[in-house]
Amino acid sequence: LHASVVLVEDDDISVKGRRCRVLGKAGLDLGGATIDQWIFQEVLRRNQRLDSDEDIRQISNALLVGCERIKEDLTHKDSAALHITNPITGADLHAEFSRATFEHLLDQNDLFAQIDRTLRRAIRAASERGYDAEAVKAVLAVGGSSQIPAVQSTLRRIFGRERVLAGRPLDAVARGAAAFVAGVDFFDHIQHDYAIRYLNQGRYDYRAIVSRGAPYPSTQPVARLRIKAAQENQVQLGLAIFEIGHNPPESASAVELVFDPSGAARVMPVSPDEVERRTRFWMNENQLTFLTAEPPASPGEDRFEVEFNIDANKRLL
């Protein structure tokens, strides 16, 4: 789920084409695959089965495909059914969903509240730049899950029926990319924090170099650091650059769908420690960045001054 508040500026005779400026954005690890997992779990519950049962593991991929079909059918039908048989054991799984029971399942998993909160986070960011919810002229719903009637109803409840447009959910991104290539200027800002990892009394700590919300391309350095050695006669001083994400809200379901080597799918809980660990992504782990000190450096001695900038392609320089 990704929400962006975008300002399409008036034509500027000094600039070729129109300008689009991102005023606010917010995201959440929630999408069509998440909904498929909820249906997957509900089908197992109704049949009093577990995903660890061997005969269920054998058909878990087919079951997941069937759950996706249930979701898609209920987008334009009032009811949908699932029937899957294990060809080896003959075990059957049955489930019928009305649109009402499907929407109740979505509500039980806090889908509509999470959509609402994510949209409002994006709008709050835009309001800091002088544009509130009333300034929104149109809401463009993109992606397959935006076609779920209850999702569209949520958008209409927030913005009103007239402003919600959902006519091109599957090709809007490609059409926007084509417009960008054709000469629409695009101004955006960074959605995550970025930091340098360093040792602090034997433990890792992080020094921010780019803050969430920073505009790009940058007109001046976003950070300036002095680099010191950690060991005597150190020749290589490393820069470990991390993207720092944000923990999901407490209401978010801490589970994920995991596939084992046989291809069977299981729903597994995610521990709080693992959630925390996943908020830190080592961006240059496979292409380590080193500064070479000649002569070798001593601990505590300033050896390098490093400036960081962001170019128009969102590359850190």
Side-chain angles (χ1 to χ4, degrees):
L1 170 62
H2 191 130
S4 293
V5 182
V6 180
L7 173 67
V8 182
E9 297 183 334
D10 293 333
D11 290 343
D12 187 339
I13 59 173
S14 65
V15 180
K16 179 182 178 181
R18 307 192 73 180
R19 287 185 168 187
C20 294
R21 187 179 301 275
V22 177
L23 302 173
K25 57 185 176 179
L28 194 63
D29 186 12
L30 173 68
T34 316
I35 296 173
D36 298 343
Q37 293 179 37
W38 296 340
I39 301 173
F40 184 97
Q41 295 176 68
E42 176 65 13
V43 171
L44 293 181
R45 188 192 67 79
R46 292 188 185 186
N47 287 268
Q48 298 182 327
R49 304 302 301 273
L50 299 173
D51 57 3
S52 57
D53 295 345
E54 182 58 32
D55 59 338
I56 297 298
R57 288 163 55 83
Q58 293 167 353
I59 59 173
S60 60
N61 280 341
L63 175 57
L64 191 58
V65 171
C67 292
E68 182 180 27
R69 188 176 301 115
I70 287 282
K71 175 190 66 182
E72 293 173 350
D73 285 349
L74 290 172
T75 297
H76 51 83
K77 296 180 180 179
D78 292 330
S79 63
L82 176 147
H83 182 197
I84 295 178
T85 302
N86 187 319
I88 300 174
T89 66
D92 282 336
L93 285 179
H94 297 269
E96 293 185 5
F97 289 82
S98 67
R99 182 175 290 178
T101 58
F102 174 56
E103 292 177 357
H104 179 66
L105 177 65
L106 300 181
D107 190 40
Q108 279 185 315
N109 284 278
D110 213 23
L111 174 69
F112 308 119
Q114 292 189 68
I115 291 174
D116 186 284
R117 286 193 293 268
T118 302
L119 292 173
R120 295 191 187 282
R121 286 207 317 273
I123 291 172
R124 278 199 303 272
S127 68
E128 294 173 0
R129 294 168 169 82
Y131 297 86
D132 60 15
E134 293 304 313
V136 174
K137 296 293 190 296
V139 179
L140 308 181
V142 176
S145 294
S146 71
Q147 297 302 283
I148 295 174
V151 171
Q152 293 192 10
S153 295
T154 299
L155 297 177
R156 291 173 181 141
R157 176 179 55 79
I158 298 170
F159 296 103
R161 178 175 296 274
E162 300 301 323
R163 290 192 285 180
V164 177
L165 307 177
R168 308 197 70 101
L170 302 181
D171 68 350
V173 173
R175 291 163 64 87
F180 175 73
V181 172
V184 175
D185 278 336
F186 192 73
F187 296 86
D188 203 348
H189 61 269
I190 304 299
Q191 188 171 2
H192 298 284
D193 296 323
Y194 294 86
I196 297 290
R197 189 181 69 181
Y198 66 97
L199 279 173
N200 182 12
Q201 298 180 347
R203 298 181 60 183
Y204 284 130
D205 208 341
Y206 298 85
R207 164 70 159 81
I209 54 173
V210 180
S211 298
R212 181 171 51 133
Y216 69 88
S218 57
T219 57
Q220 58 187 3
V222 292
R224 182 180 288 109
L225 301 180
R226 289 186 175 182
I227 307 299
K228 303 177 180 180
Q231 303 173 13
E232 191 66 47
N233 294 320
Q234 189 170 343
V235 175
Q236 289 189 314
L237 287 71
L239 294 176
I241 303 171
F242 281 74
E243 177 184 293
I244 310 297
H246 295 272
N247 289 328
E250 293 182 1
S251 60
S253 179
V255 298
E256 64 181 356
L257 200 64
V258 176
F259 292 87
D260 64 21
S262 69
R266 298 186 64 184
V267 177
M268 300 291 290
V270 183
S271 70
D273 288 344
E274 177 66 8
V275 171
E276 174 70 19
R277 186 188 68 80
R278 293 183 185 182
T279 63
R280 290 174 170 81
F281 173 66
W282 191 353
M283 299 185 64
N284 62 334
E285 182 177 12
N286 296 320
Q287 291 182 305
L288 299 176
T289 305
F290 288 106
L291 307 175
T292 302
E294 181 60 43
S298 299
E301 172 193 3
D302 288 340
R303 284 303 302 266
F304 295 95
E305 185 173 63
V306 183
E307 290 185 349
F308 295 93
N309 293 273
I310 311 168
D311 71 6
N313 294 313
K314 204 166 71 169
R315 293 178 299 198
L316 183 67
L317 308 178

